[in-house]
Amino acid sequence: MSSDTQVIKDWLKQHQISEVECLVPDMTGNARGKFIPANQFLDMGEPRLPESIMVQSVTGEYCDEHWELVEPTDADMILVPDAATMRVVPWAREPTAQIIHDCYTMDGRPHPLSTRNVLRQVLDLYAAEGLKPVIAPEVEFFLVARNIDPDYVLTPPSGRSGRKETSRLSYSIDAVAEFEDFVEDMYDYAEAQQLRVDTLIHENGAAQMEINFLHGDAMDLADQVFTFKRTVRETAHKHGVYATFMAKPMQDQCGSALHIHQSVVRTDNGANIFTTDKGEHSEAFLSYIAGLQHYTPELIGFYAPNVNSYRRLAPDISAPINLNWGIGNRTTAFRVPESGPEATRVENRFPGADVNPYLAIAASLASGYLGMKNKLTPSEPHQGTANEDEVEVARTLEEGLRNLGNSPEVREVFGELFLKAYAAVKRDEFEEFNRVISSWEREHLLLQV
């Protein structure tokens, strides 16, 4: 019995677990997997799943290039539990564990279509240089009234006062208190799962909130965000409302982001490489930012992965539309918060709340890594309001996918097969969406063109 297996066995026994959720993050960042009775989990051998689930779209359909991306026999993947991801499921009726699994091919290689493996590939590049990324995600989401008819627009839920929010209440304490029961349960669930959530604020939108995570290891934080999304949705269901991580769920409200604060430290002494001994910004720091600027147009499909994502990335909305960076400037895409040398970091403000956290973090860290390796030079830090400048990124999912994997270095980092699979899945989603005739078209074009 391996040490990990013994650790898992002891943990299941300690928590009197009766059922295990074997979880795998799919291409969209949602949980796939199996429920297995705890007394069978360690005795049945390695669980398996068909690799075809990795090339299903958000609608559950298989992409047109399905059999070019996976074995025509629809081969299995071997699932290996990661003991570091063991958590209780606090909303389950019976004592239940959730364990995130890594995916391997039948001959024992890390599966190239696993998004968790993609992030690990990027982290291995840093490790080979004696470096370790440190990240801190900020996750925004909306609470909305239950909506079982997709033809109806979403509306904010009623709070404890019985009223719905109608005004912008950024950082309002009383607005958060309207949903106090939800917030308390959410924090209790997070604590039970050892999610390192920090502050909560009310964001700019009606019933929109933001949770900040404490900084730490990139893979661990990706796992936590993956788990947190499930947690928030389950908490909302308990209170008779929905929680949505759509990037732009309502026309008259702002969008929801998943900002990623990031720095890089040396593994031997923990020193932040973004500053010099004199406390000034280092060449590595500037090249890291230059990498974000250079590779974001190519990787925007990982930051804006859905057709709805691009409604958030629009002029006059509090989201980036170009590649500017600045110090303490929240209108830029890449913001450097004012801080001391040890806390020097850059915040990538492109990712929406709808991202697969493994891919968004991988894309951001890969951009910085390639910027440092190629010693790229950034633009001058932007002064003033950046979102008054020209749009420099794709405005649709289809346009973003056309740019994906344009450079050989990005293809090498992410793998040709993975990039082809991701583009195929997302392109199918775009084409399916493009077949839908909207109410705007019927209203303005039916009798006037």
Side-chain angles (χ1 to χ4, degrees), residues 257-390:
L258 196 158
H259 297 155
I260 304 171
H261 291 251
Q262 54 216 276
S263 60
V264 179
V265 299
R266 300 190 187 281
T267 53
D268 56 357
N269 59 14
N272 187 345
I273 71 168
F274 283 175
T275 56
T276 66
D277 293 339
K278 297 180 180 179
E280 300 170 342
H281 291 157
S282 67
E283 290 184 9
F285 175 71
L286 296 175
S287 291
Y288 192 101
I289 291 176
L292 290 170
Q293 291 182 310
H294 182 82
Y295 292 102
T296 288
E298 188 173 348
L299 296 172
I300 190 68
F302 291 148
Y303 302 142
N306 301 298
V307 290
N308 175 262
S309 308
Y310 296 83
R311 301 187 188 281
R312 169 180 164 262
L313 301 178
D316 302 323
I317 295 179
S318 55
I321 57 172
N322 50 52
L323 304 170
N324 291 308
W325 75 282
I327 298 174
N329 189 338
R330 281 190 168 84
T331 69
T332 59
F334 310 114
R335 168 180 169 257
V336 179
E338 297 188 31
S339 62
E342 292 184 0
T344 298
R345 62 196 186 277
V346 57
E347 174 190 19
N348 186 347
R349 298 174 62 81
F350 266 111
D354 57 339
V355 298
N356 177 324
Y358 301 95
L359 294 182
I361 294 169
S364 198
L365 296 180
S367 297
Y369 172 84
L370 292 172
M372 292 189 295
K373 289 294 286 184
N374 296 324
K375 299 187 184 303
L376 300 182
T377 303
S379 64
E380 291 296 319
H382 194 277
Q383 307 297 325
T385 305
N387 54 20
E388 293 178 353
D389 289 6
E390 293 294 321

Side-chain angles (χ1 to χ4, degrees), residues 239-260:
H239 291 275
V241 298
Y242 290 164
T244 180
F245 294 90
M246 283 178 66
K248 178 72 171 169
M250 290 176 276
Q251 178 178 335
D252 58 347
Q253 299 292 334
C254 55
S256 289
L258 196 158
H259 297 155
I260 304 171

Side-chain angles (χ1 to χ4, degrees), residues 1-10 42 80-84 86:
M1 181 180 291
S2 71
S3 57
D4 265 10
T5 302
Q6 186 62 55
V7 167
I8 294 172
K9 182 177 181 179
D10 293 344
L42 293 174
V80 178
D82 184 343
M86 291 186 298

